[in-house]
Amino acid sequence: MKSIQEHITELDKEGLTFLENEYSKDECNYYIDKFSQIVEKLKSNGSNLCRDCTMIRNPYRHDIDLANLIYNANVDSILLELIDKDYVLVNSTVINRKIDHSIKKSANNMGDAWHTDSHYTMNQTRRLQKGFGYIVIILFNDFTKENGGTLYLLNSHLKKDKPEKFGEYNNLKDYPLKTIVGKAGTVAIMDSGIWHRGGDPSQEDRWSLYSYYGPWYQKPYYRFPEMLGEKFGKETNKHLRRLFHYNSTPPLADVNNESTSTVKYD
């Protein structure tokens, strides 16, 4: 088992690190069953789904038990060092890159093009420094080259330009392209600046949860406290209160000098 510092060193040098056996086979199957039930409900409700890449955005919105996947103690010990003690969730999506023939009219796919999950300045031409944010990927099935394991460009978190300049990058044999492979129950942590794209869809399940974490002042994709409600914020544990922005939502107005101390502590 690697130490926290070994994981941090790998992320700094290569942009990716793996934590094996974070979830048991039974736990993986438990969550896969929940994901499958949500997808069936979305189908029955007529929701737009992608035939080649099933996605559940904000899965805890459908089943609050899935909020527990947002906090992992071993991942937390690494991100506390890499980001800061007040780091938060920015976005999370369940993804299965299995072709679903029951979906007749397909919605847009996710992650087909080379991209990063970082941010850019200077009119979208300069990327923020490496280490600003991290993507945590929970593997509920084995990730292989055959079932759509995520492709990435080794050391690309050190680059400053944008991936689309490379065009058909995955067809160029001279570049250090790799595939995220690992056993079910593995957790991968990836610098948000890594150039990556989803692998080709297959006939096999490849359930996963992609969660993006950053510093407390980074704008989330959704207003989590409003989504999950005040009751959840009061009853959940301190880790999830922090991660879902209950401690770092800016005040409405400058009352009692609140605007100068946005982060609230338990």
Side-chain angles (χ1 to χ4, degrees), residues 16-219:
L16 190 73
T17 193
F18 294 89
L19 290 76
E20 297 178 345
N21 301 313
E22 285 296 310
Y23 297 91
S24 69
K25 187 66 175 177
D26 286 344
E27 287 176 311
C28 290
N29 289 335
Y30 171 79
Y31 286 114
I32 287 173
D33 184 59
K34 283 184 172 287
F35 302 151
S36 300
Q37 290 179 39
I38 293 171
V39 169
E40 291 306 312
K41 287 181 181 178
L42 291 174
K43 288 180 182 178
S44 66
N45 292 337
S47 299
N48 288 331
L49 294 171
C50 179
R51 184 183 302 115
D52 297 336
C53 179
T54 303
M55 296 176 289
I56 308 172
R57 301 181 190 276
N58 304 304
Y60 29 79
R61 182 168 64 91
H62 303 277
D63 185 337
I64 197 61
D65 186 42
L66 299 178
N68 293 316
L69 291 171
I70 300 305
Y71 173 78
N72 174 290
N74 290 328
V75 171
D76 185 61
S77 65
I78 295 170
L79 296 186
L80 285 171
E81 295 288 333
L82 285 168
I83 306 176
D84 63 40
K85 62 183 176 60
D86 300 310
Y87 81 89
V88 291
L89 176 72
V90 178
N91 182 45
S92 59
T93 305
V94 168
I95 299 175
N96 184 17
R97 298 194 76 84
K98 178 181 179 180
I99 301 171
D100 188 339
H101 297 284
S102 70
I103 299 174
K104 303 304 179 185
K105 183 180 179 181
S106 183
N108 292 332
N109 204 344
M110 173 182 271
D112 279 352
W114 284 101
H115 67 283
T116 77
D117 289 294
S118 186
H119 294 275
Y120 294 79
T121 59
M122 296 186 69
N123 198 25
Q124 297 293 306
T125 60
R126 177 182 289 179
R127 187 174 63 78
L128 297 183
Q129 181 70 16
K130 69 181 176 69
F132 184 78
Y134 294 88
I135 310 298
V136 174
I137 310 167
I138 303 176
L139 285 55
F140 297 99
N141 295 112
D142 293 351
F143 267 41
T144 69
K145 294 182 178 180
E146 289 72 37
N147 73 351
T150 300
L151 299 169
Y152 67 99
L153 178 64
L154 189 66
N155 302 324
S156 54
H157 64 307
L158 304 176
K159 295 181 176 292
K160 292 291 186 180
D161 49 355
K162 300 192 80 171
E164 55 261 34
K165 293 184 178 180
F166 278 71
E168 294 296 320
Y169 210 98
N170 55 317
N171 294 325
L172 304 178
K173 304 298 184 184
D174 296 334
Y175 295 95
L177 293 181
K178 287 182 170 287
T179 302
I180 292 180
V181 295
K183 293 294 186 181
T186 297
V187 173
I189 304 177
M190 180 171 68
D191 190 294
S192 62
I194 279 278
W195 295 21
H196 63 285
R197 74 167 180 85
D200 295 332
S202 74
Q203 305 295 327
E204 301 177 28
D205 277 325
R206 198 225 67 176
W207 288 106
S208 52
L209 176 66
Y210 284 68
S211 297
Y212 180 9
Y213 299 92
W216 67 267
Y217 47 82
Q218 185 173 358
K219 187 174 84 170

Side-chain angles (χ1 to χ4, degrees), residues 231-248:
K231 184 173 184 290
F232 174 80
K234 288 181 177 179
E235 294 180 355
T236 193
N237 62 62
K238 65 179 183 179
H239 305 295
L240 291 180
R241 277 198 299 278
R242 166 174 57 84
L243 292 171
F244 281 117
H245 295 255
Y246 283 91
N247 296 348
S248 56

